[in-house]
């Protein structure tokens, strides 16, 4: 435990300070850290020793690199269990397989106070770069640490606002939410319930904004009773979908359609409707968001807004590889289009 605390303390030394001690430039330190330095062996070994002493490398990772083993790309995920994350993982893995790179997975804690624990793991192997999938809005510490280490990174589907220089790939959540509600309006639905994600998350707020926009454009006032707040995580998302659907169904004037802000919530909505003997879509329509694999296997199959998760992972990988090659990005922010996937869970309003 004493050795670990010493490493954490030493790691506070910045890349600029390490460069000064080593008598080299910051870019040189960065190249040594990423195994891309092609200068003198003496300089490389001197910088490596200082990086070891201050926690940027460990002895095992350094020995693997000196033995000629390939460096790797790290994918950091918040849960390592959801269908949502697995689709992103497939995209990243496919992109790396095309160039024969290793992929390392790290599960990160959503607690900002635990960030140093998994950030330390990033120094335990010879990494080229990092792809991060954030499950919350606590990302500033991570960005600062990676930038201090001059370790290239790309953020996938951020759930809160990012700076203009942070490389990221995601979707237009506002447009996706708007298309879901507009589809229900086209079927004659006027009382449309929505189950949001946590409104601390930008994606949840944007999907709700899409809902508000359609109502405004159609000249219908917003009924706050039709807006329920849930969560996105897999198990808790199903539970919140179930609970909030029951709350909507208990209204004196219940909705004829429900927009679940992700597909796991929609699973919970299905359960609530099944228990009450309410038929989908004859009695009520349901629409989701994400198009995770199970959406096409539900009965009836779920109409949903497709978030191109596989393509997001693959695009993030392409962006990171450009950064590793010191090539400029066409844009630091890439937004992929959503698409409405019409299946069996929506029909004309029964009213």
């Amino acid at each position: 435990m004493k050795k670990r605390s010493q490493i954490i303390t030493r790691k506070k030394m910045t890349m600029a300070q390490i460069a000064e001690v080593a008598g080299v430039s910051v870019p040189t330190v960065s190249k040594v850290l990423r195994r891309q330095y092609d200068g003198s062996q003496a300089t490389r070994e001197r910088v490596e020793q200082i990086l070891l002493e201050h926690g940027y490398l460990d002895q095992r990772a350094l020995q693997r690199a000196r033995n000629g083993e390939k460096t790797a790309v790290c994918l950091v995920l918040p849960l390592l269990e959801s269908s949502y994350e697995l689709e992103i993982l497939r995209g990243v893995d496919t992109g790396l397989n095309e160039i024969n790179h290793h992929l390392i997975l790290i599960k990160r804690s959503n607690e900002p106070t635990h960030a140093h624990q998994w950030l330390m793991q990033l120094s335990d192997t010879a990494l080229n770069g990092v792809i991060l999938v954030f499950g919350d809005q606590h990302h500033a510490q991570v960005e600062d640490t990676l930038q201090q280490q001059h370790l290239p990174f790309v953020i996938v589907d951020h759930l809160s606002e990012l700076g203009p220089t942070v490389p990221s790939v995601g979707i237009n959540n506002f447009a996706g939410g708007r298309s879901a509600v507009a589809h229900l309006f086209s079927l004659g639905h006027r009382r449309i319930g929505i189950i949001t994600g946590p409104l601390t998350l930008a994606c949840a707020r944007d999907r709700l904004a899409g809902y508000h926009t359609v109502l405004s454009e159609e000249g219908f006032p917003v009924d706050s009773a039709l807006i329920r707040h849930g969560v996105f995580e897999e198990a808790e998302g199903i539970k919140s979908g179930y609970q909030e659907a029951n709350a909507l169904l208990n209204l004196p004037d219940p909705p004829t359609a429900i927009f679940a802000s992700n597909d796991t919530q929609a699973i919970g909505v299905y359960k609530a409707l099944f228990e009450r003997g309410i038929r989908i879509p004859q009695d009520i329509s349901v629409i989701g968001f994400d198009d995770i694999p199970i959406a096409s296997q539900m009965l009836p199959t779920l109409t949903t807004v497709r978030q191109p998760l596989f393509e997001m992972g693959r695009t993030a990988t392409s962006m990171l590889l450009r950064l590793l090659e010191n090539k400029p990005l066409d844009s630091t922010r890439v937004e992929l289009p959503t698409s409405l996937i019409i299946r069996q869970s929506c029909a004309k309003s029964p009213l």
Side-chain angles (χ1 to χ4, degrees):
M1 292 299 293
K2 182 178 180 181
K3 182 178 180 182
R4 182 177 178 87
S5 65
Q6 289 174 342
I7 291 175
I8 293 173
T9 301
R10 287 176 177 175
K11 195 174 179 181
K12 292 180 180 178
M13 192 173 190
T14 67
M15 295 289 282
Q17 290 170 328
I18 287 175
E20 182 178 358
V21 171
V24 298
S25 66
V26 171
T28 295
V29 176
S30 177
K31 289 178 180 178
V32 172
L33 188 61
R34 302 206 308 263
R35 315 294 183 244
Q36 295 175 348
Y37 179 69
D38 55 4
S40 72
Q41 180 177 343
T43 298
R44 185 185 70 249
E45 290 180 352
R46 182 171 74 255
V47 175
E48 286 175 343
Q49 183 59 41
I50 298 172
L51 289 169
L52 278 170
E53 292 173 357
H54 294 280
Y56 283 89
L57 290 174
D58 76 355
Q59 189 64 52
R60 292 171 299 171
L62 182 57
Q63 191 60 49
R64 286 195 295 269
R66 287 176 174 174
N67 290 340
E69 296 183 26
K70 291 183 295 184
T71 52
V73 167
C74 180
L75 175 62
V76 182
L77 297 164
L79 296 175
L80 282 177
E81 63 183 26
S82 69
S83 300
Y84 169 91
E85 292 176 314
L86 292 177
E87 284 299 292
I88 294 175
L89 168 59
R90 283 201 318 113
V92 172
D93 189 50
T94 299
L96 292 177
N97 282 340
E98 293 174 354
I99 58 169
N100 197 31
H101 266 51
H102 285 310
L103 174 62
I104 295 173
L105 296 179
I106 290 181
K107 177 181 178 180
R108 67 170 291 248
S109 169
N110 279 344
E111 294 295 328
T113 55
H114 296 166
H116 74 277
Q117 296 176 0
W118 62 267
L119 281 171
M120 285 189 65
Q121 292 180 262
L122 298 181
S123 66
D124 288 342
T125 190
L127 291 177
N128 275 3
V130 182
I131 298 172
L132 303 116
V133 180
F134 277 106
D136 61 10
Q137 58 185 349
H138 302 294
H139 52 75
Q141 177 187 1
V142 178
E143 293 170 30
D144 290 344
T145 300
L146 296 178
Q147 288 170 348
Q148 288 172 9
Q149 295 186 11
H150 291 260
L151 188 61
F153 66 94
V154 177
I155 295 178
V156 179
D157 194 32
H158 68 284
L159 300 184
S160 58
E161 291 79 2
L162 299 172
T165 63
V166 177
S168 65
V169 56
I171 63 162
N172 187 324
N173 285 283
F174 170 80
R178 188 179 185 281
S179 68
V181 181
H183 177 63
L184 294 173
F185 251 86
S186 73
L187 295 173
H189 296 279
R190 298 298 180 264
R191 284 194 61 77
I192 301 171
I194 180 173
I195 303 173
T196 76
L199 296 185
T200 54
L201 307 181
C203 62
R205 295 195 301 272
D206 288 348
R207 294 173 197 180
L208 177 60
Y211 171 90
H212 279 281
T213 296
V214 174
L215 291 176
S216 176
E217 290 175 345
E218 298 291 340
F220 280 79
V222 174
D223 183 348
S224 60
L226 292 174
I227 301 174
R228 306 293 303 182
H229 304 299
V231 298
F232 281 153
E233 288 81 3
E234 189 110 334
E236 291 301 313
I238 294 173
K239 181 179 178 181
S240 72
Y242 174 79
Q243 292 175 336
E244 303 310 330
N246 276 313
L248 290 169
L249 296 170
N250 287 334
L251 293 172
D253 187 9
T256 62
I258 296 176
F259 171 29
S261 290
N262 76 356
D263 291 346
T264 56
Q265 290 179 345
I267 295 172
V269 173
Y270 269 46
K271 181 185 178 195
L273 295 172
F274 175 79
E275 289 181 351
R276 291 172 179 247
I278 299 174
R279 300 170 300 166
I280 307 169
Q282 295 92 333
D283 302 325
I284 192 169
S285 291
V286 180
I287 192 167
F289 201 109
D290 284 341
D291 195 29
I292 59 176
I294 198 173
S296 62
Q297 306 301 315
M298 296 166 66
L299 293 176
T301 56
L302 180 66
T303 293
T304 187
V305 176
R306 180 176 183 270
Q307 184 169 192
L309 301 171
F310 176 89
E311 292 85 351
M312 287 160 58
R314 193 164 182 172
T315 299
T317 304
S318 297
M319 294 172 68
L320 182 62
L321 294 177
R322 286 188 65 87
L323 293 174
L324 295 178
E325 295 170 357
N326 294 316
K327 295 180 180 178
L329 298 175
D330 295 332
S331 173
T332 56
R333 173 62 179 170
V334 175
E335 284 196 348
L336 301 178
T338 60
S339 53
L340 181 65
I341 306 299
I342 298 176
R343 296 195 178 103
Q344 300 172 336
S345 64
C346 293
K348 290 184 178 181
S349 172
L351 300 181

